[in-house]
Every structure is written in structure tokens, then in C-alpha cells.
Amino acid sequence: MANITKPKVDAVVVGMGWTGSIMAIELADAGLTVVGLERGENRDTYPDFAYPKIADELTYVQRSKLMQSLAHETVTIRRHASEAALPLRQYGAFLFGDGVGGSGVHWNGFTYRATDAELKLRSHYEQRYGKDFIPDDMTIQDWPVSAAELEPFYDRFEYVAGTSGQAGNLNGQPVSGGNPFEAPRSRDYALPPLPTAYPSMLFEQAAREVGYHPYPTPASIASKAYTNPYGMQLGPCNFCGYCELFGCYMFSKASPQTCILPALARKPNFELRDRSAVVKVNLDSTGKRATGVTYIDAQGRTVEQPADIVALCAYQMHNVRLLLLSGIGKPYDPATGEGTVGKNYAYQKNSKIPVFFDKDVAINPFIGSGSGGVVYDDFNADNFDHGPLNFIGGAITFATVTGGRPIAQALVPPGTPKWGSGWKKAVKDHYLHSFAISTQGSVMSYRDNYLDLDPTYKDAYGLPLLRMTFDWKDNEGRMTQFVSHKAADVARAMNPKPTSVAINAGKPGDHFDTGPYQSTHTTGGAIAGDRPDNSVVNKYLQSWDVPNVFVAGACSFPQNLGINPTGTIGAMTYYAAKTIRETYLKNPGPLVQA
Amino acid sequence: MDDKHDAVSTPPSIASSRRRFLIQTVAVLPVAGSLAACDRVADGNASASTTATISTAGADSHCATPYQPKFFKPDEWSVIQAAIDRLIPADAEGPGALELDVAAFIDKQMEGAFGHAATWYMQGPFQPDATPLAGYQSPMTPRDLYRTGIAALNNHCQAHFGGKPFVQLTAAQQDRLLHGMDTGEVTFEQTSAGHFIALLWQNTKEGYFSDPVHGGNKHAASWTMIGFPGARADYLDWVAQPGKVYPLGPVTIEGNT
């Protein structure tokens, strides 16, 4: 029972990270009254991310200052349905961004585009390799959009974010120095690439020598002064090394704060309410229409916010949980394969290839940006022949030195003692003379990797936690072994020659370990598709079951990509917002007929 | 990174009799701290009769008031000091954890949100014996782990080393014990030896390498040792100078160089 009922608005947006900020400004720009609800605190570049306080590894990385308190809400995890799921009590495998700006504050800024081979994944593999190539338990499916359909919206996001990069394919024409595998783009990136730091330079030369096609990482970090379409101004990055997991003090890294929120705040038809935790989407008696949302405010009061449109724009897992808590859509049942909410949870499979040099090679790892660097796509997506390889998917391989944080980023060679004088000497000898190549790989969706509500554990409000059932499959173990050994070949081809190269990669047979950080790129659970029986939302991110509910974010990915998700998340959200403005508002109802 | 190690490493250390003497004596003496005593400690001429109760062991030669722990009790404090001195010993390569005030750092952490596990999910039911793949599943906060871990470590030492507490073992004995706790060869009845040593190593490394504003890494000496410029955080000019040695030493959040 709500203590308070607010006046009705046209649209309520749940979560004020990238997707919420995009949805809110686009709908407010169309004249709608919009309320943005964010359960964390409000914050801005100044004073929240100001120098020098931001330059603090202990506070921001070790103590996760920008992340959601798990005391309030976490997720439970089990590897198989036969296990009892246990809560993630401390941060480990992934992080939940918190507060206004969401994960768009602490992200690195990598802004990639997907290709048709990835978006039409099942069709593509069946056509090239035959239906038998896809294992029976792999529940991959095509996205309901093509690369050409998304192009204008990738473009829009990149120009809002001031993405710095090098085109590889302009309207079908190859461009030297860019990614030869990229889908055609209509124009250059918003800004030229960031300058290349020394380790990325070494990687680029070696990758080219080995025969691959390295190009500058597309980074939503300004390489020059830039004003975006909302009139927001960004300044050039200074490679401060406090980017990944930090807020940017330089107004260089794209975030809702640097790219959207001040412009949004000037609109009189928009209101932001922070410390407002949405616990439910309310439905009318038919269950086919949302009447608004219920949230708990900072004082613990239950507040009802009526609205004609509900946009769920929280983190991937939180969106799925809200759908389940609200009874929107049919929960997925892995035994029968029926139901869709929670289906096709996926992740990413990453590896590191630490490279060590002699003491006369000054790598200077503290000179870093979250996403500047060099990458190759030769073993990503289906850019290489999978026929003889016995796996589906691939990885991007890149050299981006994000900073030289000594607690967590100092590299020591294999065989170094865990502590003591030997450890200390190894850190001292290698700190300035090492870096790691990274691979970031796709993870397919499987019948028994899924999300539902936990029967035991509750959040601070007494509501069930989300339960993740997820384990690694051998497909991903084979993939990461393959791409990691290729990356090690590149490392060994570097000039100056490394003194040693290590491979820190998973393998077939591994089980999911929740302890070590791996990736925050969790996906699925409210996937987009072309039919109500295979998906939760249509290509406009509109719920098949409750058409005035839209669900934005990586929860819509039918399986995960090797690339970073934010470019595609931004593009899908802009596509949805444009369709709401131009089509839905004229005739509210299903945008795709089932 | 793969943190596995091959064998217990007990390199020769200048930790020496003076450092060990400090740790051992401070625990058993009555409160008698004075600045004068502090000077003598720093000079290496301390005797049992003049040593302050609680030494920072890393104090400047002019030595301000020694750090007074708020969380750790005197006998616990001496164990923490002795243990971090083994985890990151002083030697010819650079400073050890003890003189960089890592013990003080840990004590301060215990008094804040971290020590109380304020942002950890701590609702039951608890399954402390769950698969390690499930991560930390104990109901113990860091404060609980230190308190129970130190007591259990001392009990273990007294049972296995002729009644001696941890601080009276030789460096080699201490090293073997700490590694045994990490590998699972040494276990305690009252608490998890593995959780305790994992927390102690995490906090030791944090106190050694974090900004001095948090109470450890005195004078940013660990940063100087490895070549990390700390909070300089401005390198655009240096991106364009590939492979060139960066010439500036560290600066801290408070602007100290």
C-alpha cells in the first residue's frame, strides 16, 4: 500500500545510467513529462569526481565506492540447478554500478558496433557451417535487428559520446588503418583516435607483423575538445590512469554526466528523483497494461508514480528482476524451455596475456586511459574459419593500458612467491616494464544458464534476490584457449623482445568462480526477438506482454558478443526512443504484431 | 595474474634482531611511552626498560607520538606487526610493511566501513563450508576475522611451538605458518585460517601501496620503490614520448612529493 501517490506523468524512467538518460532526454525532448527514478545518489563531475580525491585506488577500486552496496541487494549464484544458490557477499566476478550515471560513470569507454554475423548469429552459423555445427543445448538466436538497421543509432550514440576512433568501412569503402571487418558506417567517428601509448604501439607493430589487422580502439574518451548534439562539451583526455572504475575528473570520458544530464536537467518537463528504489511495475486488472511504478524513497516511504509509459533502464540483472517481481511475461523454465523472462543469461570469457620486458624498456603503465589503445578483430565474431575449430564465437584482442594501479595492476611473472621479499623484488623489477594484452570473448546462451528469483535470500526490503544459474561451457573454454594462444604469438613477436609471456586463460572443464573479477558485461534474461514465444521484448525493446513497458540494456542481448556492450546498448536505446516518439505516441500499442 | 608460488620463501632479511626485538618487546611491556623513548627506538638503541609500549616501528628519527591502535589490543597489535613484517619484509630492495605504517593502516580500516563489512551482503543463512567457487560465505566481518584469527594463530603456536606465541617464533617458522594457512596445511578450529591470511595479505598490500592519506605507505615510499608517480594523473605530454623514462617521483593526494 503506497504511502504517497504522485501526480501522473507521461513516462517514468527506472535507472539513470546511459539507457535511462538517453530515454529520458529523448522523451522529454518530444514534449513528454518525464520522471527519472534512480535508487543511488545524485552526483556530478564536480565535486564528486574532482581531482585529487579521485586519484585513489583504495577508495574507488578496492572499496568499490561507485558501486551498489551489496548489503542492500545482491544476486545469488549457483552453477547448476542441483545446487543451492548462495549470495554474492563481496564483489567478485562483476560489479553493479550505482547512483546517477550508473555504470556509465565507471566504464572504460570502449564503444564497438556489432556486425551481421553476430546479430544474425544462428542463421549465419547454420548457413556457413550447417545446422549440426550448433550444439543442442546452445539456445542462441538471431537478434531482431541488422547492422544496417542499427547504423544510424550507433552513429547517434557515438556522436553523443564523442567517440574517438578510426573508420574502417565508410559506406562500403574500406578505409586504411581502420577495422577491415566492420560493418559499413555512414561517416567517421565523432573524433579522431586517441594518441597511442607505447605498449599499444608495440602490440600494433607485432600484430601487423604476424598478419593481423590492428586498429585504434574505438573509445568514448575525447581526443580533442568536442561539443555533442545536446550542446555538452568534452575536453581532451590527459591519460591520467584513473579512468577504468573511476569517474573522469577531466570531462573527457563520456558518461551521462558529461554528455546528457546537464542538458536534460534544463528541461522543465523532466524531474530527477534520486534515492528512489523502484520495487515493482504496477499493472492494471488485465495485466496487459502498466499503470506506473512503486518505489521506496530515502525515508523508507512507499511511493506510487503513475505513468503512461514505463521504461526499465536499470542494470541488466535489475531489469530482469523487476520484470519477475512485477509478474510481467512468463518466467523461463529450463526443464521445458517455455517462458522467456530470465532466458539466455550470458556473460563474457576474457583472458590476459601478461608480457614482461627487460629493465631498459620503459612501459610506464601509469600512463593510461580506459579505452585508448589498439585492437584486432581477426579472431572475433566469424571473421575467421570456425570449421576446423569446434567452437562458436570469438574475441577481440587488444592492448589498452588503463593505468598502473599498484595494488591490483602490478604484474609479476609466473612462479613469483605470493608475498615476502621475493614478491617485493618481482614487483619492483617488473612494474615499469610490463603490461598485459587482453582478450574479450563472446559467451553463447545455453538452455540451463538462466535467471529467476531466489527462494531463500532477500534484499533490504524483504524482496527475493535474483538467482543466477550459470556455468562455463567447453565451447567458451576452447574459444578462449584459441584466441589467447594467438595473442601470445603476437606478444612474442614484439620488438623489443619480451623476456617472458604468460597466458592467464580459462580452459574447457572450468567452473564459474564468483571470486575473481572477470567482467561486468552480463547479458540476457529479457532478450529481444521476433516472436513473443522466443523473447521478452521486440526490436524496439517493447514488452510483448505489456506494450507500454520498454526494457533497455544488455538484458536484451540474445547471447553475448566479444565486443563491449555499450555501443550496442546505446544504439538499441536510441532506436527504441525514436520509434516511441515517431510511432508509438501516435498510436500506443504493440509496435510489432505478434 | 597467477598468484601461485612454488615454495616457501625465506630470504635473508635485514629484519634482524632489532626489528624482531621491537615487535616482541612492545607487546609485553607496560605503558611507558615517551618521545624520548621513541628517539632511542629509531636509533636502534632501545632497551626493554625504555621502549614505548606501542611503537610505530617506522617512525621518523625525530618520531612523533607513536600510533595508538583503536581496534587492535596490545597482544593483537604485536602479532599484526610481526606478520606484516614477514609478508613484506624490509630488505635491500626497499621498505617493508612495518616501517610504512601498514599496521596503522589496517587498524584504521577496522574502524571504518570496511572493518564492519558495511557493504557486504551479510544476511543468512550462511554456508561457510560451501564450495570455494561461491566466494566468501562466512558471517564474519573483517573485525571478527582479525580478532578470531589472531587468537587462533597464537593458540596454534603455543600448542605446536612449546608454549611460544607467534611473535616469539623464528622468521622461518613464521613464514612456514603463514604459507601453511594459505595452502590449507594449517587450519584452526575457531576460525578459517585461509580467510584470515587472505584478508591479512589483502590489507597488507593495500596499506603498502595505497595513498598515504589512508595511513599506510608512509612518505609514498613503496611508490618511489617501484616508480609509480601516484596522483600526478596528467600524462598527455608523455603519451607522445614512447619508451622514454618518466622522470618525476610520486605525489600524493595531499600534494606531498
Side-chain angles (χ1 to χ4, degrees):
Chain A
M1 199 57 156
N3 300 129
I4 299 166
T5 301
K6 295 280 190 181
K8 185 176 174 183
V9 293
D10 294 325
V12 62
V13 174
V14 179
M16 286 302 290
W18 270 123
T19 60
S21 300
I22 291 168
M23 199 61 94
I25 197 166
E26 290 296 309
L27 297 185
D29 192 55
L32 272 60
T33 53
V34 180
V35 163
L37 299 174
E38 165 57 49
R39 66 179 175 184
E41 292 180 31
N42 199 2
R43 52 197 182 162
D44 208 347
T45 301
Y46 184 84
D48 298 285
F49 315 136
Y51 182 83
K53 279 180 71 177
I54 196 71
D56 185 348
E57 181 183 17
L58 184 80
T59 298
Y60 290 93
V61 181
Q62 302 300 112
R63 302 289 180 262
S64 309
K65 183 175 178 181
L66 300 179
M67 308 305 162
Q68 172 192 314
S69 168
L70 297 180
H72 186 95
E73 182 191 329
T74 186
V75 61
T76 69
I77 302 169
R78 59 183 181 173
R79 276 139 293 276
H80 188 267
S82 63
E83 287 181 40
L86 291 170
L88 183 78
R89 295 188 180 278
Q90 306 170 351
Y91 276 118
F94 42 76
L95 300 164
F96 298 135
D98 190 42
V100 169
S103 300
V105 168
H106 78 253
W107 74 317
N108 288 52
F110 291 105
T111 307
Y112 290 96
R113 298 182 174 198
T115 60
D116 275 331
E118 292 160 294
L119 296 173
K120 303 295 178 189
L121 187 75
R122 179 171 279 276
S123 307
H124 176 91
Y125 270 85
E126 286 182 355
Q127 194 179 348
R128 182 168 175 185
Y129 302 105
K131 286 193 172 184
D132 292 345
F133 198 77
I134 303 174
D136 288 341
D137 68 335
M138 202 183 266
T139 50
I140 57 176
Q141 60 189 56
D142 291 1
W143 296 56
V145 287
S146 65
E149 211 174 349
L150 281 183
E151 200 286 332
F153 306 102
Y154 276 124
D155 178 271
R156 174 75 171 163
F157 182 73
E158 289 169 4
Y159 272 71
V160 166
T163 307
S164 301
Q166 168 65 53
N169 182 336
L170 274 178
N171 297 305
Q173 297 301 311
V175 181
S176 172
N179 176 15
F181 303 104
E182 90 173 336
R185 56 170 52 246
S186 58
R187 55 177 171 165
D188 280 318
Y189 282 95
L191 290 169
L194 288 162
T196 306
Y198 185 49
S200 305
M201 223 175 260
L202 298 179
F203 172 79
E204 178 179 13
Q205 289 162 356
R208 213 173 286 288
E209 189 173 307
V210 174
Y212 305 147
H213 301 84
Y215 64 98
T217 45
S220 291
I221 297 176
S223 57
K224 292 175 149 183
Y226 179 69
T227 303
N228 83 2
Y230 298 125
M232 299 289 298
Q233 295 178 317
L234 291 95
C237 169
N238 71 347
F239 286 74
C240 78
Y242 295 93
C243 185
E244 168 187 80
L245 300 171
F246 299 84
C248 176
Y249 80 88
M250 288 289 291
F251 296 87
S252 303
K253 180 169 69 173
S255 67
Q257 279 82 351
T258 51
C259 298
I260 296 176
L261 291 171
L264 176 59
R266 285 195 286 271
K267 293 186 181 294
N269 50 332
F270 173 76
E271 183 192 349
L272 170 67
R273 289 182 211 142
D274 68 346
R275 297 168 174 270
S276 300
V278 174
V279 291
K280 195 177 184 187
V281 179
N282 302 314
L283 303 179
D284 71 6
S285 57
T286 68
K288 297 290 179 195
R289 180 175 172 76
T291 58
V293 300
T294 296
Y295 66 92
I296 314 284
D297 74 6
Q299 299 178 68
R301 298 178 300 192
T302 303
V303 184
E304 189 181 341
Q305 177 59 63
D308 284 330
I309 295 173
V310 174
L312 297 183
C313 295
Y315 182 64
Q316 173 261 339
M317 289 191 216
H318 304 329
N319 275 348
V320 175
R321 180 168 178 258
L322 275 174
L323 291 172
L324 292 166
L325 289 173
S326 307
I328 296 174
K330 186 176 175 184
Y332 172 69
D333 180 352
T336 63
E338 291 176 1
T340 54
V341 182
K343 175 178 141 172
N344 281 19
Y345 171 74
Y347 199 30
Q348 277 185 327
K349 189 69 177 166
N350 303 340
S351 72
K352 293 279 185 198
I353 291 80
V355 188
F356 300 90
F357 296 90
D358 272 329
K359 284 186 181 179
D360 59 352
V361 180
I363 293 297
N364 296 336
F366 44 83
I367 300 175
S369 71
S371 48
V374 171
V375 58
Y376 63 77
D377 275 29
D378 296 72
F379 300 109
N380 187 33
D382 193 38
N383 300 338
F384 56 112
D385 183 8
H386 285 74
L389 292 174
N390 196 21
F391 67 80
I392 290 173
I396 55 171
T397 304
F398 59 105
T400 289
V401 173
T402 61
R405 308 188 302 262
I407 300 169
Q409 289 187 307
L411 298 170
V412 290
T416 298
K418 187 162 185 175
W419 53 63
S421 288
W423 168 84
K424 188 173 75 175
K425 180 168 171 29
V427 174
K428 182 184 175 185
D429 287 350
H430 297 288
Y431 175 76
L432 291 176
H433 316 290
S434 59
F435 73 97
I437 298 172
S438 302
T439 78
Q440 178 176 268
S442 57
V443 170
M444 298 302 115
S445 47
Y446 297 88
R447 175 181 269 263
D448 55 357
N449 284 343
Y450 70 105
L451 305 171
D452 64 357
L453 292 177
D454 192 272
T456 304
Y457 293 96
K458 310 278 194 248
D459 71 3
Y461 304 125
L463 298 168
L465 296 180
L466 191 72
R467 176 171 66 179
M468 173 194 299
T469 304
F470 175 79
D471 206 356
W472 296 120
K473 307 290 184 177
D474 288 352
N475 180 76
E476 281 63 38
R478 290 192 285 267
M479 180 278 297
T480 196
Q481 282 289 313
F482 177 80
V483 299
S484 299
H485 282 88
K486 296 289 186 190
D489 293 342
V490 171
R492 286 186 279 263
M494 285 181 189
N495 181 24
K497 197 171 167 52
T499 53
S500 70
V501 173
I503 297 177
N504 188 2
K507 56 188 184 309
D510 281 355
H511 292 288
F512 179 50
D513 184 349
T514 62
Y517 181 79
Q518 289 150 76
S519 171
T520 292
H521 303 157
T522 60
T523 60
I527 66 174
D530 60 358
R531 301 192 317 264
D533 67 337
N534 72 8
S535 52
V536 173
V537 295
N538 61 33
K539 65 179 174 181
Y540 307 112
L541 305 179
Q542 180 185 38
S543 164
W544 292 109
D545 296 275
V546 185
N548 65 333
V549 170
F550 294 81
V551 189
C555 55
S556 68
F557 291 16
Q559 54 275 330
N560 211 346
L561 306 154
I563 55 175
N564 299 63
T566 305
T568 303
I569 290 170
M572 294 283 283
T573 307
Y574 271 114
Y575 192 15
K578 181 180 161 69
T579 309
I580 293 170
R581 287 172 60 152
E582 296 182 357
T583 307
Y584 177 87
L585 291 178
K586 289 177 190 149
N587 183 21
L591 290 160
V592 178
Q593 292 307 319
Chain B
M1 279 305 296
D2 183 354
D3 274 331
K4 287 191 174 55
H5 52 273
D6 298 328
V8 173
S9 168
T10 55
S13 165
I14 63 163
S16 73
S17 55
R18 176 180 76 79
R19 301 170 54 75
R20 299 182 53 71
F21 171 80
L22 268 178
I23 294 163
Q24 291 166 26
T25 53
V26 295
V28 298
L29 290 169
V31 175
S34 75
L35 290 178
C38 190
D39 277 338
R40 285 189 287 277
V41 170
D43 290 339
N45 295 324
S47 67
S49 61
T50 57
T51 304
T53 305
I54 292 164
S55 168
T56 61
D60 291 341
S61 57
H62 57 274
C63 194
T65 307
Y67 180 78
Q68 301 291 325
K70 292 185 175 63
F71 170 73
F72 291 111
K73 301 170 189 175
D75 58 335
E76 296 172 334
W77 186 238
S78 65
V79 172
I80 288 297
Q81 290 188 311
I84 65 170
D85 194 37
R86 293 317 309 151
L87 294 178
I88 309 181
D91 56 26
E93 299 289 341
L98 201 52
E99 63 254 59
L100 295 202
D101 287 354
V102 169
F105 165 87
I106 298 174
D107 187 68
K108 289 172 181 172
Q109 289 292 308
M110 291 308 102
E111 292 298 294
F114 177 79
H116 293 85
T119 63
W120 297 1
Y121 183 81
M122 294 299 265
Q123 292 187 41
F126 289 91
Q127 302 286 344
D129 299 321
T131 165
L133 295 172
Y136 191 77
Q137 291 296 331
S138 165
M140 288 198 182
T141 65
R143 289 166 68 95
D144 297 332
L145 262 178
Y146 274 110
R147 198 130 271 162
T148 58
I150 292 168
L153 177 59
N154 267 335
N155 288 343
H156 178 91
C157 292
Q158 281 160 357
H160 292 83
F161 296 93
K164 286 185 183 172
F166 181 75
V167 296
Q168 290 178 18
L169 305 190
T170 66
Q173 287 172 325
Q174 290 176 339
D175 285 343
R176 272 196 298 277
L177 250 180
L178 295 172
H179 281 291
M181 290 159 64
D182 183 51
T183 60
E185 289 158 41
V186 174
T187 57
F188 303 146
E189 178 61 30
Q190 305 92 326
T191 196
S192 164
H195 287 162
F196 174 48
I197 188 64
L199 178 69
L200 179 62
W201 172 232
Q202 178 200 328
N203 290 161
T204 301
K205 201 156 84 163
E206 288 171 349
Y208 191 72
F209 278 136
S210 57
D211 192 282
V213 75
H214 298 291
N217 193 14
K218 189 170 190 174
H219 300 321
S222 74
W223 295 352
T224 301
M225 178 186 78
I226 63 171
F228 175 53
R232 287 198 180 273
D234 182 10
Y235 304 112
L236 187 53
D237 295 344
W238 286 86
V239 180
Q241 302 183 65
K244 194 168 173 186
V245 174
Y246 185 76
L248 302 177
V251 63
T252 71
I253 287 173
E254 292 182 329
N256 298 314
T257 54

